[in-house]
């Protein structure tokens, strides 16, 4: 099923490049997998994004765009957990949350963060968990909302220009 979906995505992307049909602007205000145009008209990937002949390699992590309806509904119906941001890199598009109920960090993808504020280390958050394939033994955080900002730290909005020193 995944192979068919990825094949269709590649086919649609290839057809839009051949026919020079402008693609839709992303609805998200988060700069995930955005391709920059160079002066020569070529597109390049952001630093750290794996590209194979101009196509992004799909991630095995079920992000909001790739999660199935049933996975989303199970996550939405699940309990709300609380924790704090261990780290988050806006440039790379992911981070980790330390839950209050455990010690093992939980992965969070940029597309699963709700609200207009970019989280920083130390922010208290609420989230729900979604199992990560293929074995469904580990979890990632979804529906992440900042519940309490870390004091004394400047927070950015998603629509602001990223801080160039924030690539750690």
């Amino acid at each position: 099923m995944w192979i068919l979906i990825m094949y269709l995505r590649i086919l649609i992307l290839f057809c839009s490049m051949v026919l020079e049909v402008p693609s839709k602007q992303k609805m998200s205000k988060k700069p995930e997998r955005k391709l920059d145009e160079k002066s020569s008209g070529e597109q390049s990937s952001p630093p750290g994004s794996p590209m194979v002949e101009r196509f992004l390699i799909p991630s095995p992590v079920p992000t909001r765009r790739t999660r199935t309806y049933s996975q989303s509904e199970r996550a939405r119906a699940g309990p709300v957990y609380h924790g704090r941001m261990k780290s988050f890199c806006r440039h790379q598009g992911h981070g980790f949350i330390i839950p209050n109920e455990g010690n093992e960090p939980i992965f969070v993808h940029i597309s699963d963060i709700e609200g207009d504020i970019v989280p920083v280390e130390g922010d208290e958050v609420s989230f729900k968990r979604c199992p990560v394939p293929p074995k469904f033994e580990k979890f990632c955080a979804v529906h992440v909302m900042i519940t309490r900002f870390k004091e004394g730290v400047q927070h950015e909005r998603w629509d602001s220009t990223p801080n160039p020193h924030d690539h750690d």
Side-chain angles (χ1 to χ4, degrees):
M1 183 68 171
W2 283 96
I3 295 172
L4 179 62
I5 291 171
M6 291 310 302
Y7 176 75
L8 290 174
R9 285 183 181 171
I10 291 171
L11 183 63
I12 291 170
L13 182 60
F14 179 74
C15 290
S16 67
M17 288 179 0
V18 170
L19 298 175
E20 298 180 347
V21 176
S23 61
K24 293 181 183 177
Q25 294 274 334
K26 288 180 72 172
M27 298 295 287
S28 174
K29 45 192 168 209
K30 301 170 190 172
E32 175 193 307
R33 293 185 174 193
K34 180 179 176 185
L35 299 177
D36 298 322
E37 290 188 16
K38 293 183 178 179
S39 60
S40 63
E42 292 182 10
Q43 292 183 342
S44 66
S45 66
S49 293
M51 295 273 297
V52 176
E53 297 184 26
R54 297 186 56 190
F55 295 108
L56 289 172
I57 298 173
S59 171
V61 177
T63 62
R64 179 176 287 172
R65 289 192 320 262
T66 60
R67 237 185 333 267
T68 63
Y69 179 75
S70 61
Q71 286 176 318
S72 296
E73 287 305 308
R74 273 185 260 144
R76 187 179 314 280
V80 175
Y81 297 92
H82 298 278
R84 66 175 176 78
M85 291 299 297
K86 175 182 177 186
S87 63
F88 185 81
C89 181
R90 181 177 180 180
H91 176 72
Q92 293 178 350
H94 70 273
F96 294 92
I97 296 174
I98 300 289
N100 293 343
E101 297 83 24
N103 295 332
E104 186 175 337
I106 296 178
F107 177 84
V108 60
H109 190 264
I110 192 170
S111 67
D112 290 310
I113 298 173
E114 308 287 337
D116 294 335
I117 305 296
V118 179
V120 297
E121 180 181 342
D123 284 346
E124 292 181 17
V125 295
S126 65
F127 60 95
K128 297 189 177 195
R129 297 187 327 175
C130 181
V132 177
K135 295 184 179 180
F136 299 101
E137 294 172 349
K138 294 190 177 189
F139 295 92
C140 65
V142 297
H143 304 291
V144 178
M145 293 182 15
I146 300 173
T147 56
R148 187 170 173 207
F149 297 110
K150 181 177 180 181
E151 294 180 16
V153 176
Q154 179 71 25
H155 284 77
E156 298 177 343
R157 298 180 66 84
W158 290 114
D159 55 0
S160 68
T161 304
N163 185 352
H165 303 289
D166 204 20
H167 297 295
D168 300 332

